[in-house]
């Protein structure tokens, strides 16, 4: 009988240890927050706009559509970043293009309300590629109408809501485990009393 009591008490201790490990694991997971800009990104709204990227091992591509009124600022921004040495203008189209031995290293096309970017990651330097990705990110923020601070605020809000849901789930699990622990404790006490009565007999 004593063996059974010891087994039940061991189970009780195990439940508390499991809960502590799950809580610690949850805290470790919450600290691992990451964000990647690579891959397809798109959004749409009342003005029928989108912004998508494709980042493979060899190439980086961007296709975007946005309100035409934003084109002027995008042209100005690109000119400030890339200069006008490799720029060509044809009607409403504006083109920046660099070639090496007849192969296109990168090409950026801007038209009224649209943008296309092609980058050969093999031909461009890593610093140039990083610059073009930064340009892409800044244009995306501008065309979507959201600043980087606003995006960070929204991300933090989503993280906060997620943590609240996880905390509520942990509380429910803790309450369930406490009820189970109390039940096991009562059962252990009952068995202990029963064992004591049998010993007295």
């Amino acid at each position: 009988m004593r063996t059974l009591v010891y087994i039940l008490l061991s189970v009780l201790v195990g439940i508390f240890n499991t809960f502590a490990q799950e809580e610690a694991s949850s805290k470790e997971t919450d600290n691992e927050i990451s964000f990647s800009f690579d891959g397809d990104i798109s959004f749409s709204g009342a003005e029928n706009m989108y912004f998508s990227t494709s980042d493979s091992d060899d190439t980086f591509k961007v296709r975007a559509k946005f309100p035409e009124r934003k084109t002027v600022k995008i042209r100005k921004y690109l000119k400030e970043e890339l200069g006008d040495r490799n720029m060509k203008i044809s009607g409403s189209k504006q083109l920046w293009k660099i070639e090496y031995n007849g192969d296109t290293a990168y090409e950026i096309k801007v038209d009224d309300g649209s943008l296309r970017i092609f980058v050969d990651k093999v031909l461009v330097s890593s610093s140039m590629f990083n610059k073009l990705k930064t340009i892409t990110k800044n244009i995306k923020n501008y065309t979507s109408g959201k600043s980087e601070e606003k995006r960070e605020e929204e991300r933090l809000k989503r993280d906060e809501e997620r943590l609240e849901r996880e905390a509520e789930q942990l509380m429910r699990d803790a309450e369930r485990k406490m009820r189970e622990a109390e039940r096991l404790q009562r059962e252990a006490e009952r068995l202990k009393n029963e064992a004591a009565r049998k010993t007295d007999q």
Side-chain angles (χ1 to χ4, degrees), residues 5-19:
V5 172
Y6 290 144
I7 291 173
L8 287 172
L9 290 176
S10 297
V11 170
L12 181 61
V13 172
I15 289 174
F16 283 119
N17 287 339
T18 301
F19 173 68

Side-chain angles (χ1 to χ4, degrees), residues 33-102:
I33 301 173
S34 62
F35 173 77
S36 174
F37 180 70
D38 297 339
D40 291 336
I41 303 174
S42 62
F43 59 86
S44 60
E47 296 182 281
N48 188 28
M49 57 187 182
Y50 67 84
F51 199 107
S52 66
T53 65
S54 174
D55 194 352
S56 67
D57 292 337
D58 300 324
T59 62
F60 177 73
K61 300 176 183 179
V62 177
R63 293 185 63 190
K65 183 178 181 182
F66 43 83
E68 289 188 10
R69 68 177 184 276
K70 296 190 175 186
T71 307
V72 174
K73 286 189 177 181
I74 292 174
R75 292 184 198 274
K76 182 179 179 182
Y77 171 66
L78 287 171
K79 191 172 182 179
E80 290 174 352
E81 293 294 325
L82 302 173
D84 54 10
R85 182 177 178 183
N86 302 298
M87 181 186 70
K88 295 180 180 179
I89 299 177
S90 177
S92 62
K93 296 180 177 63
Q94 202 163 359
L95 172 69
W96 283 265
K97 187 174 184 180
I98 293 290
E99 293 184 338
Y100 295 120
N101 298 323

Side-chain angles (χ1 to χ4, degrees), residues 2 77 102 124 132:
R2 287 183 179 178
Y77 171 66
V124 300
L132 291 171

